[in-house]
Amino acid sequence: MTNAEQTTELPKSWEPADHESDLYQRWVDAGYFTADPSSDKPGYSVVLPPPNVTGSLHMGHALDHTLMDTLTRRKRMQGYEVLWLPGMDHAGIATQTIVEKQLAAEGLTKTDLGREAFIERVWQWKAESGGTIAGQMRRIGDGVDWSRDRFTMDEGLSRAVQTIFKRLYDAGLIYRAERLVNWSPVLQTAISDIEVKFEEVEGELVSLRYGSLADDEPHVVVATTRVETMLGDTAVAVHPDDERYRDLIGTTLEHPFTGRRIPVIADEYVDPEFGTGAVKITPAHDPNDFEMGVRHDLPMPTIMDATGAIAGTGTQFDGMDRFEARVKVREALAAQGRVVAEKRPYLHSVGHSERSGESIEPRLSMQWWVKVDQLAKAAGDAVRNGDTVIHPASQEPRWFDWVDGMHDWTISRQLWWGHRIPIWYGPDGQVECFGPDDTVPDGWEQDPDVLDTWFSSGLWPFSTMGWPDATDDLDRFYPTSVLVTGYDILFFWVARMMMFGTFVGELDHGGLAGRDAAVPFRDVFLHGLVRDEHGSKMSKSKGNGIDPLDWVDRYGADALRFTLARGANPGSDISVGESHAQSSRNFATKLFNATKFAMMNGARCEELPARDALTDADRWILDRLDEVLVAVDEGFDAYEFSKACEALYHFAWDEVCDWYLELAKVQISDGGDRAAHTRAVLGAVLDPLLRALSPVMPFVTETLWTALTGGESVVIAPWPTGGGDVATRDAGAATRITDLQKLITEVRRFRSDQGLNPGQRVAATIDGLAAAGLEAHRPYLDALARLAGADADFAATATVEVRLSSGTATVAIDTSGTVDVEAERKRAAKDLAAAEKELATTTGKLGNEQFLAKAPEAVVAKIRARRDLAEAEVDRLRGKLDSLSAR
């Protein structure tokens, strides 16, 4: 590729906000992100984990999207036909809650509207307000195929939901039963485990007495944090080997309020060492009690209605809210003399609804369930057999623990917004599941519940491509290549997709005929959580959350993306803060300035001359480029984004910008063939470097690469590869450049320590250049270390010795008359005082045991690094003062 007729001029400086929107729209308009299933290129596909239509991008989303975009952009450049399919989840509970709040502001309820009108109102809200994330995705540069944008309530996806429900139902894998669920009294629906957040709360622990009030007569003391649930107690349980209660096992005790007799049962689940060794059993309101109730065939009375009010107990507490009843039941028990002890406050963990905030009530409820044994085994076997590979492998044991021990999944929700369960009831008690192509008889009524949102999102990899019909997209892009998601939802979303994917694949249903593996994705890449710079989890309550769009506004999308990708490795959490974003913005600016400088000095993308016509610096930087490109490929192929980004960052900043560009200035100033060769090398380095950076930093690299090369777009440019013939790499040139860097660095350090003006040249002689093969490199030394040749009157005032690969080079320097010794002494003394204060502060913190016990490890490490830096600075400045005092 040549740029003999460059038409693109670079702006004066890089201001992301001036360019990003136009660049993104140009990519979309050009169709770069639109997948062609008829292409003869190898296929590569990723489906976007569908964000809630109610939401907006947070840092976790930004990380997800950055990594997916990086993978797909790179694969596109590598010659793959790439599909990155976007979409939104209808978010049943969250969306219905928003619309209900809007109605409440108007003095209405959903019941006032009726089901059909309410659903129309939700669709109206979705059309007007439900696209925030799509705009934000464009802001950060997501290269998704917008022509295939999907929504989980779209007609095609609804057809897929009905189809798989019927097939699971017909296979006996969906059933209806009364079991314990997470119940939200505010939302009045069952909710999934992932929508329950556990929080430490201050409650009370009440110890109450069943049986006789006389100590010498049969009785049992049990403790509970929810005393109101004793209204639903149907047993007291003890361990079968507990001698204290052996005589009570099989007897009954009278319930204090209901009058019914409840048995004392023996069960090995009870821990005889905990508390009194006896526990109350409320099967309809506690998961462990429910399992015990099943084992012992206990009655399971539900004592609360859908709102969390006491109901059906036949006691004076009926009609009370559960929290009011908690107080009244305790007072009534105390009045009977049955409260043995009370502990307040009592800190314990309580599940709360993520959406509505109230504490969850475990409640026995008639729901629809998926029988998971067969499905979970297939999902586990897919990983065991290697059909799907989890990255990092260290997450595999967690995967197997989950799928091998999975409980049946409750899929019904008592909502109006969502996929209605396709079960119909006939006038004569008939129950039938109808698929999307079936005709429902007149007079039949549909089940009022809707499906859990995770049910429809579990079909996402293939429903979005047209399943159950046979489509070109399914044939070309399914199974998908990789799923990118956080390890925190491994068990919820990933497991459900694997269960459904293996089910439809193994049974050859619909459009998946001929698949070579019954899995929805080949790789599962699990990244960590995004934490703040101190390693703490971001949350609204802590006030440490970061809006990714705020960073885009202030630093540019490239800075946001590079910050996140640079910290991302399989399974590892990422700590980010303002300083990281600033660093990434500075990196983008550095790239811009370096490329602009190179172009101003005639950098060109053209065929390189023979290697023997190049300088050591030229061969060194080209060889380093080759090595770095190999490391970058290794990093991306292993989903080690941090490794790839670190390699590119340090090569670009430390080697290209800090060294080669400076050496290139000397070579260009020589003129002639050397200058022309240098311009070609600059192009040969910057072209692939910008291409390699473009998947992570697409905007600045697009601007620079098109200007440098004259190419159409870096989005469709070929991916740069390294790994050339290792034997052609010039080890001698690398050694000489390393020696040259050491010399220049040490002379610069000496100059700084002596307070020399950076631009001031000083006379010097150098011994040892010949032994290191650096005689021809003296012009670089003079230019970069600001040295001058020695005249007849030269008299060295100081020497700098530098150990090189072949002996020692000695630089003799005449600094007489170049330094204001007294001014420099005062400056050094001031700097020393500041360094000593920093050393004292950091040393004091590291010596504080309380600080070390409470501070996150990342904070301690940062203080330790500051202490080490201050210590080195104190030593340096004291040495400098000693040197100045000797003059």
Side-chain angles (χ1 to χ4, degrees):
M1 183 182 297
T2 67
N3 59 349
E5 297 181 359
Q6 290 178 354
T7 58
T8 304
E9 291 186 4
L10 291 175
K12 182 178 180 181
S13 62
W14 178 242
E15 300 295 339
D18 294 342
H19 307 283
E20 289 177 347
S21 178
D22 290 344
L23 287 173
Y24 185 83
Q25 193 58 49
R26 184 167 69 84
W27 295 332
V28 173
D29 292 342
Y32 295 150
F33 306 140
T34 304
D36 179 7
S38 66
S39 165
D40 58 2
K41 299 176 182 178
Y44 185 86
S45 57
V46 177
V47 293
L48 177 77
N52 287 353
V53 68
T54 60
S56 59
L57 287 185
H58 54 62
M59 269 298 180
H61 288 128
L63 173 62
D64 252 0
H65 291 218
T66 293
L67 301 185
M68 283 182 277
D69 198 33
T70 297
L71 291 172
T72 53
R73 284 177 181 270
R74 175 172 175 257
K75 286 296 181 180
R76 190 177 293 111
M77 296 173 75
Q78 287 180 316
Y80 288 78
E81 189 63 36
V82 173
L83 169 62
W84 184 16
L85 193 150
M88 295 282 175
D89 191 284
H90 65 279
I93 291 175
T95 304
Q96 179 159 325
T97 299
I98 287 175
V99 177
E100 285 196 74
K101 286 181 178 178
Q102 291 179 345
L103 290 175
E106 301 170 17
L108 298 172
T109 68
K110 66 177 182 180
T111 307
D112 294 332
L113 268 67
R115 185 163 192 149
E116 295 304 318
F118 177 77
I119 291 173
E120 288 181 11
R121 180 71 175 257
V122 179
W123 277 109
Q124 178 184 342
W125 174 87
K126 191 261 181 185
E128 295 173 354
S129 309
T132 299
I133 283 184
Q136 294 175 328
M137 288 168 61
R138 293 172 178 267
R139 292 283 313 279
I140 66 173
D142 284 3
V144 297
D145 186 344
W146 290 110
S147 70
R148 287 174 168 84
D149 193 15
R150 298 290 184 260
F151 182 56
T152 49
M153 290 286 286
D154 284 347
E155 182 178 352
L157 274 68
S158 296
R159 174 178 168 81
V161 168
Q162 295 174 51
T163 298
I164 198 167
F165 187 101
K166 180 170 177 55
R167 291 179 179 174
L168 289 165
Y169 182 84
D170 290 347
L173 298 178
I174 287 182
Y175 64 95
R176 194 171 186 236
E178 190 175 42
R179 292 190 176 182
L180 214 65
V181 297
N182 299 312
W183 187 265
S184 168
V186 171
L187 300 171
Q188 296 184 34
T189 180
I191 64 175
S192 69
D193 290 340
I194 198 172
E195 291 160 330
V196 177
K197 301 301 180 185
F198 284 87
E199 301 172 8
E200 292 289 321
V201 299
E202 290 186 354
E204 62 180 2
L205 182 66
V206 177
S207 297
L208 64 98
R209 183 171 181 143
Y210 269 109
S212 174
L213 295 176
D215 290 343
D216 57 351
E217 295 183 17
H219 67 275
V220 178
V221 175
V222 297
T224 179
T225 57
R226 300 197 304 149
V227 70
E228 74 281 3
T229 64
M230 63 86 59
L231 297 170
D233 284 358
T234 57
V236 171
V238 297
H239 193 277
D241 298 332
D242 194 330
E243 294 291 341
R244 293 171 295 177
Y245 304 111
R246 183 176 295 278
D247 293 341
L248 281 177
I249 296 172
T251 66
T252 62
L253 304 170
E254 184 177 357
H255 192 282
F257 301 119
T258 66
R260 65 176 178 266
R261 306 290 298 185
I262 64 174
V264 178
I265 63 174
D267 195 288
E268 292 187 349
Y269 170 79
V270 181
D271 181 1
E273 304 297 325
F274 183 78
T276 63
V279 294
K280 58 187 285 298
I281 306 302
T282 319
H285 293 277
D286 182 273
N288 296 318
D289 292 5
F290 174 78
E291 296 297 332
M292 204 177 300
V294 171
R295 288 197 294 272
H296 295 271
D297 195 26
L298 297 175
M300 299 187 181
T302 298
I303 63 162
M304 295 183 198
D305 64 17
T307 68
I310 305 299
T313 69
T315 69
Q316 68 268 35
F317 309 108
D318 282 355
M320 293 183 184
D321 175 83
R322 55 184 170 152
F323 301 111
E324 179 187 2
R326 182 171 299 171
V327 175
K328 296 300 183 182
V329 169
R330 174 174 48 77
E331 290 176 346
L333 287 169
Q336 292 184 18
R338 294 189 177 279
V339 175
V340 176
E342 298 177 68
K343 183 177 181 180
R344 297 192 198 93
Y346 181 76
L347 194 66
H348 62 123
S349 182
V350 176
H352 289 72
S353 168
E354 182 183 43
R355 298 297 176 189
S356 50
E358 88 280 19
S359 58
I360 288 301
E361 186 61 44
R363 183 171 183 262
L364 196 63
S365 178
M366 184 66 74
Q367 302 285 345
W368 286 96
W369 302 80
V370 172
K371 183 176 176 59
V372 301
D373 290 353
Q374 171 187 328
L375 301 173
K377 182 180 183 303
D381 289 345
V383 175
R384 290 187 181 94
N385 300 336
D387 294 329
T388 294
V389 179
I390 293 178
H391 304 266
S394 60
Q395 291 286 344
E396 282 188 7
R398 296 182 67 217
W399 170 258
F400 295 130
D401 285 347
W402 176 257
V403 296
D404 293 346
M406 190 181 295
H407 298 292
D408 286 0
W409 168 25
T410 175
I411 55 173
S412 47
R413 299 291 181 265
Q414 290 64 57
L415 303 171
W416 284 359
W417 171 246
H419 294 102
R420 191 106 172 244
I421 288 178
I423 293 290
W424 296 74
Y425 304 101
D428 299 320
Q430 307 99 314
V431 179
E432 188 74 42
C433 179
F434 292 105
D437 300 322
D438 296 332
T439 300
V440 180
D442 291 337
W444 286 51
E445 292 188 3
Q446 190 173 3
D447 193 288
D449 289 350
V450 300
L451 286 163
D452 177 14
T453 298
W454 295 98
F455 190 95
S456 53
S457 61
L459 313 179
W460 190 250
F462 48 91
S463 65
T464 51
M465 296 189 195
W467 186 89
D469 299 324
T471 66
D472 290 341
D473 280 357
L474 279 171
D475 185 59
R476 192 74 170 84
F477 297 113
Y478 189 85
T480 60
S481 304
V482 60
L483 172 73
V484 178
T485 191
Y487 64 67
D488 54 327
I489 61 169
L490 172 65
F491 310 133
F492 296 98
W493 186 47
V494 181
R496 283 148 176 71
M497 287 189 289
M498 285 288 280
M499 290 193 300
F500 286 157
T502 52
F503 176 73
V504 298
E506 288 173 353
L507 298 183
D508 197 27
H509 284 149
L512 303 186
R515 300 296 92 190
D516 59 347
V519 293
F521 21 73
R522 303 295 188 183
D523 285 353
V524 176
F525 167 59
L526 300 168
H527 59 73
L529 304 177
V530 183
R531 298 181 178 272
D532 71 13
E533 59 188 330
H534 303 300
S536 297
K537 187 175 180 179
M538 292 184 182
S539 70
K540 291 181 180 178
S541 60
K542 292 180 181 178
N544 64 342
I546 301 170
D547 182 350
L549 274 298
D550 177 53
W551 277 10
V552 171
D553 290 337
R554 291 193 287 145
Y555 306 121
D558 290 325
L560 168 72
R561 294 165 60 108
F562 192 75
T563 297
L564 294 171
R566 191 179 180 187
N569 271 327
S572 300
D573 290 349
I574 304 169
S575 293
V576 298
E578 202 79 17
S579 61
H580 299 93
Q582 292 169 350
S583 174
S584 297
R585 177 207 50 199
N586 294 344
F587 181 48
T589 301
K590 188 84 167 180
L591 284 173
F592 181 86
N593 291 338
T595 306
K596 186 169 186 177
F597 165 81
M599 291 178 61
M600 289 174 61
N601 282 274
R604 309 188 70 79
C605 295
E606 57 189 25
E607 186 175 351
L608 286 172
R611 280 181 69 87
D612 60 6
L614 300 176
T615 66
D616 278 350
D618 297 337
R619 291 193 293 272
W620 162 73
I621 199 65
L622 291 170
D623 290 346
R624 283 294 299 132
L625 171 67
D626 189 71
E627 292 169 348
V628 167
L629 292 178
V630 171
V632 169
D633 275 332
E634 290 174 350
F636 283 139
D637 287 343
Y639 302 108
E640 293 175 346
F641 294 84
S642 178
K643 176 182 177 180
C645 290
E646 284 295 304
L648 287 167
Y649 175 87
H650 288 293
F651 175 70
W653 192 299
D654 300 343
E655 297 180 290
V656 174
C657 296
D658 284 357
W659 284 108
Y660 184 71
L661 287 183
E662 296 303 311
L663 298 172
K665 291 178 184 177
V666 179
Q667 295 181 173
I668 290 173
S669 67
D670 287 348
D673 290 343
R674 177 167 290 188
H677 296 169
T678 303
R679 295 183 178 105
V681 172
L682 281 169
V685 170
L686 290 172
D687 168 15
L689 173 60
L690 293 170
R691 282 184 279 145
L693 279 164
S694 68
V696 183
M697 306 178 75
F699 293 106
V700 69
T701 54
E702 173 81 347
T703 302
L704 295 174
W705 186 85
T706 53
L708 175 70
T709 68
E712 179 182 341
S713 172
V714 75
V715 175
I716 55 173
W719 177 252
T721 57
D725 186 358
V726 176
T728 65
R729 293 179 184 164
D730 193 332
T735 298
R736 290 187 290 273
I737 293 298
T738 299
D739 283 344
L740 180 64
Q741 291 171 337
K742 285 182 181 178
L743 265 172
I744 294 170
T745 300
E746 290 305 315
V747 173
R748 284 174 169 174
R749 181 177 292 119
F750 170 81
R751 292 174 59 103
S752 175
D753 287 346
Q754 297 301 308
L756 291 174
N757 186 308
Q760 184 176 17
R761 286 190 178 274
V762 293
T765 61
I766 307 175
D767 292 330
L769 290 182
L774 297 179
E775 286 182 307
H777 296 67
R778 177 63 192 259
Y780 300 119
L781 278 164
D782 289 348
L784 276 61
R786 307 302 290 169
L787 300 179
D791 57 22
D793 297 328
F794 175 80
T797 60
T799 59
V800 179
E801 292 188 349
V802 184
R803 180 66 181 172
L804 304 179
S805 57
S806 299
T808 300
T810 302
V811 184
I813 302 175
D814 179 8
T815 62
S816 58
T818 63
V819 179
D820 183 339
V821 176
E822 186 57 33
E824 188 60 24
R825 186 182 293 115
K826 289 180 179 179
R827 187 166 69 87
K830 181 179 178 182
D831 292 344
L832 177 60
E836 288 175 334
K837 181 179 179 181
E838 170 74 353
L839 179 59
T841 300
T842 53
T843 301
K845 283 188 176 181
L846 294 172
N848 185 329
E849 294 298 331
Q850 289 186 334
F851 169 76
L852 294 177
K854 294 180 180 180
E857 180 55 36
V859 175
V860 175
K862 195 170 184 180
I863 298 296
R864 193 175 290 119
R866 283 173 52 195
R867 188 269 316 275
D868 294 344
L869 185 62
E871 201 167 50
E873 188 69 356
V874 166
D875 290 342
R876 184 185 73 82
L877 290 166
R878 284 176 178 169
K880 181 175 182 178
L881 279 170
D882 289 343
S883 175
L884 290 168
S885 298
R887 294 191 184 184

